[in-house]
Amino acid sequence: QVRLVESGGGLVQAGGSLRLSCAASGLAVSSVTCGWFRQAPGKEREFVSNIRWVSATYVADSVKGRFAISRDNAKNTIYLQMNSLKPEDTAVYYCAVFTGGNYYSTNAVAYWGQGTQVTVSS
């Protein structure tokens, strides 16, 4: 059984930083493409970043230069380092494992974490 458990969310002032973690069980993060999405109140869930099994990484234009995804194979965990946070980054952040195909779409996600709230105050 695959399980993804996020942690690291919280309340931070604009300009601050947070690091989200996603601990996986039931699969090896080194062998799949994983990623992060976020969903703000009243908005659709949107792609933030992914990391391919070959370690190539991609980030959405809205967070490019501020967010970075990484992976620790020994801990079977992926991370999202978020710097220079803005109020518009406020959302629930979800860890995801993709099945294949479009690695930017919610339709390609096989497994979701429960989500962690990130709130950025101005």
Side-chain angles (χ1 to χ4, degrees), residues 45-89:
R45 196 168 296 189
E46 65 174 3
F47 169 79
V48 175
S49 184
N50 66 33
I51 180 166
R52 309 289 177 95
W53 67 273
V54 292
S55 298
T57 63
Y58 299 87
V59 294
D61 287 343
S62 59
V63 303
K64 195 166 291 182
R66 300 188 297 121
F67 290 12
I69 191 170
S70 61
R71 182 176 66 205
D72 185 328
N73 294 338
K75 294 183 178 180
N76 211 32
T77 298
I78 65 168
Y79 302 96
L80 185 68
Q81 179 66 45
M82 306 186 295
N83 299 325
S84 301
L85 282 161
K86 304 176 181 179
E88 51 262 44
D89 295 319

